[in-house]
Amino acid sequence: MRTKTRIAALIAASALALAGCSSNDEKSDSGEGDGGANGDGITIGVKFDQPGLGLKDGSEFKGFDIDVAKYLAKELGYEEDQITFVESVSAQRENMLENGQADLIVATYSITDERKERVSFAGPYFVAGQGLLVAEGEADISGPDSLDGKTLCSVSGSTPAQRIKDEHSEGVQLQEAQGYSECVELLSSGAVDAVTTDDIILAGFAAQDKYAGKLKLVGKPFSEELYGVGVAKGSDMCEQVNEALTKMIDDGTWEKAVKDNLGDAYTPNPDTNPPAPGGNCG
Ligand code: GLU
């Protein structure tokens, strides 16, 4: 009798576990993962609105960061259908890693000392620089020092927004959005004068058909943004991710992913790319 009850309980438990798995799979493109760390899969935070980098297109995910994420998942022992992509907007990335809502974040995520107090980073795997995107006909704005009296859009919780506040805020009005697609829409409708973030992100937008001939990048990059893969602070996955990033660079997949996703739209700075991953796990 006792054994039978125990077997029944075991069957019920495994049915529950199976149900848990399948609901996790179904969520794979819904944007609501539940932290793959405790399940059979891996949950990766990415951007959903950045063409060329992290873009949700129907049920598909595309971009350089998506290719990096897929490569890492494979190296960590996951099949592609075990990946749950969740949206990680700039301001939520540290929170998501701290709360276990994502196992990895691959989302144009700059390694900074401030962020390293809360999370660890594998990488860097890419080096970009802050830039400015303006309307094709804009004649006044040529760099961060010619923004006086202008309205500028950037994203809350991002390093470019912070840099404008810290170093260029006099005379410029900063409007903060949740994501860069919102900023670029505001720019193309004339509601703001410029958008600032990493040059690679701006180039990805400028290359979209709908903005052809309407937007341009101006000036030289005015920061170094070292992209890292965010993991929970002290996670032992960090060094494994560094190894996988190094392998991706060495076997040519990194270069192919840059070309496939950004093509003629953007050429990485050859002095800083590809970087050597490592040194940010602590
Ligand atoms: N790389 C910068 C950052 O991590 C800007 C891009 C972004 O907001 O994702 O804040």
Side-chain angles (χ1 to χ4, degrees):
M1 219 18 208
R2 272 185 84 127
T3 321
K4 252 190 185 168
T5 316
R6 202 178 280 167
I7 289 170
L10 272 175
I11 290 170
S14 51
L16 271 177
L18 278 174
C21 277
S22 62
S23 74
N24 196 33
D25 284 351
E26 277 159 22
K27 280 192 217 153
S28 64
D29 56 13
S30 71
E32 312 167 30
D34 58 354
N38 306 315
D40 284 342
I42 184 161
T43 304
I44 307 183
V46 294
K47 294 297 181 74
F48 279 16
D49 71 333
Q50 294 180 192
L53 288 153
L55 186 72
K56 184 172 189 285
D57 184 6
S59 60
E60 272 188 68
F61 293 89
K62 296 176 184 170
F64 175 63
D65 275 343
I66 303 296
D67 287 354
V68 171
K70 286 181 178 171
Y71 190 97
L72 297 179
K74 188 164 174 243
E75 289 299 310
L76 293 170
Y78 297 96
E79 300 293 332
E80 215 169 294
D81 64 5
Q82 289 181 294
I83 304 172
T84 301
F85 285 120
V86 291
E87 185 171 26
S88 54
V89 298
S90 297
Q92 287 306 321
R93 292 175 294 199
E94 290 84 32
N95 284 341
M96 289 178 73
L97 290 170
E98 285 176 336
N99 300 339
Q101 288 166 284
D103 299 311
L104 302 179
I105 290 195
V106 190
T108 59
Y109 195 10
S110 296
I111 301 169
T112 69
D113 288 342
E114 198 183 337
R115 290 173 179 165
K116 275 164 81 171
E117 285 172 17
R118 296 176 61 188
V119 302
S120 296
F121 287 99
Y125 65 93
F126 196 84
V127 182
Q130 185 167 354
L132 287 169
L133 187 71
V134 297
E136 184 62 45
E138 172 66 56
D140 297 346
I141 303 174
S142 55
D145 299 320
S146 55
L147 290 165
D148 263 12
K150 304 289 183 186
T151 46
L152 177 66
C153 188
S154 199
V155 163
S156 304
S158 71
T159 50
Q162 193 59 45
R163 188 166 297 105
I164 292 295
K165 287 187 215 167
D166 295 346
E167 294 169 29
H168 305 277
S169 68
E170 269 171 44
V172 60
Q173 200 186 320
L174 181 67
Q175 180 158 342
E176 293 188 57
Q178 278 296 305
Y180 296 105
S181 54
E182 209 179 314
C183 281
V184 176
E185 282 302 319
L186 290 171
L187 175 63
S188 74
S189 70
V192 298
D193 298 311
V195 177
T196 189
T197 187
D198 307 337
D199 51 2
I200 188 172
I201 300 174
L202 299 174
F205 280 105
Q208 297 301 290
D209 284 348
K210 67 173 178 172
Y211 298 124
K214 293 186 180 157
L215 306 174
K216 63 178 180 188
L217 270 125
V218 288
K220 292 198 183 107
F222 52 99
S223 75
E224 268 199 352
E225 304 293 326
L226 277 68
Y227 288 178
V229 175
V231 295
K233 181 111 183 113
S235 164
D236 52 15
M237 253 191 326
C238 195
E239 288 301 352
Q240 268 175 285
V241 175
N242 271 332
E243 276 168 37
L245 289 171
T246 304
K247 186 171 168 197
M248 184 179 183
I249 292 167
D250 291 348
D251 72 10
T253 311
W254 180 94
E255 195 172 353
K256 186 175 183 307
V258 173
K259 291 224 169 86
D260 286 354
N261 291 293
L262 291 138
D264 300 332
Y266 182 83
T267 308
N269 179 347
D271 297 336
T272 48
N273 284 289
N280 298 290
C281 281

